[in-house]
């Protein structure tokens, strides 16, 4: 496995680049905007293809690199389903897996620092965001933080991992880079409490100043900018109703860009082809299966995903590849279902 821990000195943020092999797919956890060029240089040097950029939670101390990475690499941007950030194109829930070629991380919902905090678990390590820090825990006094929930996330979830599990947090301000679950159980001062009430008392009396840039950073992270708005402006979007009216026509090819787990959980539109977003580019390039399908049969490609963000990026890529009738379903299968198109037509496979 390729594993790199990258540091942003200004915000004390750790970002993590992971891949199963040279030449393969990569993901990055908690990228910082100012470091995006550095990450991309490293991705090139290691001959990787960045396919997913993930934030463990909505950050209040630095601007996320998700938007810039999406714009520069067309990667999928990932956060938990509770997030209000507009840049996200794939939402995870507790029990899901975060996957790239050769790697699968277990997704666990660990709220408390914020209500959208997630941790990602591998057999030998866990990425804890700001839920569990080295000899500390993330503050719970803003962004819908809740010390009771954090206590449960810590004692009910993270500390139940094997003692040898390495802990990689989103921040450190003292220069520590890694710990273990066993070490934190023994030596983390915040974890030496005997009840949830004692923990709540401790967390409610930290009296920390707000992060310097919080008033700028939080709004910036909530509104990075949507591709869907631009795609609609160009006339490449269908509403769910319009899509329903067209769906059965022989000159339409519906393409589901989501991953298998999302299809199993939320259902799919019958008759749609399944082409996961990560393999889309090779399919729509000249010579690719979808490109040839569109060119030889004259079919119009109609992409959809969960909420419309991946499909908006797909439309742009297809248009760039010369497929000038390509469009997408605005709002994704979520909008399709809300428009009442679901019950009789969406299958679970
Ligand atoms: Fe944080």
């Amino acid at each position: 496995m390729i594993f790199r821990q990258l540091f942003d000195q200004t915000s004390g943020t750790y970002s993590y680049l992971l891949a199963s092999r040279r030449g393969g797919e990569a993901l990055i956890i908690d990228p910082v905007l100012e470091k995006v060029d550095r990450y991309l240089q490293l991705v090139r040097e290691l001959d990787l293809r960045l396919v997913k950029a993930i934030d463990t939670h909505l950050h209040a101390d630095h601007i996320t690199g998700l938007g810039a990475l999406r714009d520069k690499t067309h990667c999928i941007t990932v956060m938990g389903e509770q997030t209000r950030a507009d840049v996200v194109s794939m939402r995870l829930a507790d029990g899901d897996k975060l996957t790239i070629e050769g790697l699968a991380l277990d997704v666990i919902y660990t709220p408390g620092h914020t209500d959208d905090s997630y941790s990602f678990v591998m057999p030998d390590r866990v990425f804890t965001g700001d839920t569990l820090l080295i000899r500390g825990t993330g503050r719970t006094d803003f962004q819908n933080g809740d010390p009771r929930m954090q206590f449960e996330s810590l004692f009910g979830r993270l500390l139940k991992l094997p003692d040898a599990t390495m802990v990689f947090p989103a921040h450190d301000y003292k220069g520590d880079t890694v710990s273990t679950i066993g070490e934190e159980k023994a030596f983390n001062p915040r974890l030496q409490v005997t009840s949830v009430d004692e923990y709540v008392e401790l967390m409610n009396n930290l009296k920390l100043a707000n992060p310097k840039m919080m008033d700028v950073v939080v709004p910036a992270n909530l509104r990075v900018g949507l591709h869907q708005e631009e795609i609609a402006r160009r006339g490449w979007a269908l509403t769910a109703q319009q899509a329903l009216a067209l769906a059965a026509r022989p000159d339409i090819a519906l393409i589901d860009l989501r991953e298998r787990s999302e299809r199993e959980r939320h259902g799919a539109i019958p008759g749609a082809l399944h082409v996961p977003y990560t393999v889309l580019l090779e399919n729509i390039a000249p010579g690719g299966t979808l490109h040839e399908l569109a060119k030889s049969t004259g079919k119009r490609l109609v992409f959809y995903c969960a909420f419309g963000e991946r499909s908006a990026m797909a439309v742009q890529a297809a248009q760039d590849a010369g497929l000038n009738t390509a469009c997408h379903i605005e709002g994704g299968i979520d909008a399709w279902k809300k428009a009442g198109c679901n019950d009789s037509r969406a299958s679970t496979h």
Side-chain angles (χ1 to χ4, degrees):
M1 182 174 82
I2 294 172
F3 171 75
R4 295 300 162 91
Q5 183 175 32
L6 300 148
F7 187 57
D8 173 53
Q9 195 126 27
T10 313
S11 60
T13 304
Y14 286 127
S15 309
Y16 301 95
L17 180 71
L18 283 94
S20 65
R21 63 177 180 92
R22 265 189 100 91
E25 292 181 354
L27 64 80
I28 191 164
I29 297 174
D30 288 330
V32 175
L33 178 62
E34 287 79 7
K35 298 286 176 195
V36 159
D37 288 343
R38 169 66 190 131
Y39 307 144
L40 293 176
Q41 182 190 2
L42 186 58
V43 163
R44 277 193 302 275
E45 288 166 350
L46 299 177
D47 190 25
L48 300 173
R49 191 161 73 89
L50 187 70
V51 296
K52 287 183 181 166
I54 301 102
D55 270 348
T56 51
H57 63 286
L58 192 90
H59 295 287
D61 61 337
H62 66 268
I63 296 182
T64 176
L66 257 56
L69 288 170
R70 171 197 67 187
D71 293 344
K72 291 186 181 199
T73 70
H74 303 292
C75 68
I76 297 174
T77 45
V78 185
M79 286 182 78
E81 63 184 357
Q82 292 80 2
T83 189
R84 292 171 297 130
D86 67 356
V87 69
V88 177
S89 59
M90 181 175 181
R91 288 164 182 76
L92 297 172
D94 189 73
D96 282 350
K97 288 208 186 289
L98 169 62
T99 58
I100 57 169
E101 174 210 343
L103 288 179
L105 287 72
D106 291 319
V107 175
I108 57 173
Y109 180 42
T110 50
H113 170 58
T114 64
D115 60 359
D116 66 354
S117 290
Y118 276 76
S119 300
F120 303 104
V121 183
M122 297 178 76
D124 67 341
R125 68 193 68 198
V126 56
F127 301 95
T128 54
D130 289 354
T131 304
L132 176 60
L133 304 172
I134 299 173
R135 307 300 190 264
T137 56
R139 64 193 298 171
T140 55
D141 57 339
F142 57 65
Q143 286 198 286
N144 300 320
D146 182 336
R148 275 178 198 281
M149 289 174 96
Q150 190 172 57
F151 181 89
E152 177 54 30
S153 296
L154 291 162
F155 287 88
R157 307 296 301 268
L158 292 173
L159 299 183
K160 292 200 164 151
L161 295 170
D163 279 355
T165 311
M166 288 184 281
V167 172
F168 287 103
H171 292 289
D172 194 86
Y173 309 102
K174 310 172 300 292
D176 291 317
T177 54
V178 60
S179 180
T180 65
I181 290 292
E183 209 179 299
E184 291 310 308
K185 271 190 206 163
F187 305 117
N188 188 324
R190 300 250 177 103
L191 303 181
Q192 311 311 311
V193 292
T194 52
S195 69
V196 61
D197 290 330
E198 197 184 331
Y199 187 73
V200 170
E201 177 74 10
L202 173 70
M203 294 306 287
N204 284 345
N205 288 290
L206 293 177
K207 301 190 172 63
L208 300 170
N210 279 349
K212 275 184 291 238
M213 298 295 286
M214 182 173 162
D215 295 340
V216 178
V217 165
V218 169
N221 284 339
L222 285 170
R223 285 201 61 80
V224 171
L226 273 178
H227 274 208
Q228 285 195 75
E229 292 168 359
E230 181 58 29
I231 294 299
R233 244 191 313 275
R234 295 182 189 187
W236 299 337
L238 299 175
T239 63
Q241 263 97 3
Q242 288 171 327
L244 181 70
L246 293 175
R249 281 178 35 178
D251 56 341
I252 293 291
L254 272 170
I255 295 143
D256 186 345
L257 298 166
R258 296 169 304 157
E259 298 186 358
R260 182 178 301 278
S261 59
E262 296 175 278
R263 288 161 57 86
E264 285 167 359
R265 194 146 57 95
H266 299 293
I269 300 174
L273 299 169
H274 182 211
V275 182
Y277 179 82
T278 49
V279 297
L280 179 75
L281 283 183
E282 62 206 57
N283 271 284
I284 54 174
T289 311
L290 285 181
H291 192 98
E292 296 315 310
L293 174 78
K295 287 291 183 195
S296 63
T297 64
K299 281 182 193 263
R300 181 179 198 191
L301 304 182
V302 181
F303 298 105
Y304 77 94
C305 61
F307 294 93
E309 296 101 345
R310 271 169 282 176
S311 56
M313 291 192 282
V315 172
Q316 183 67 61
Q319 294 278 348
D320 291 347
L323 303 174
N324 52 20
T325 61
C327 62
H328 82 135
I329 305 178
E330 201 164 33
I333 197 160
D334 181 61
W336 173 277
K337 285 181 175 179
K338 283 182 181 144
C341 312
N342 171 39
D343 300 338
S344 59
R345 297 184 54 93
S347 74
T348 53
H349 293 282

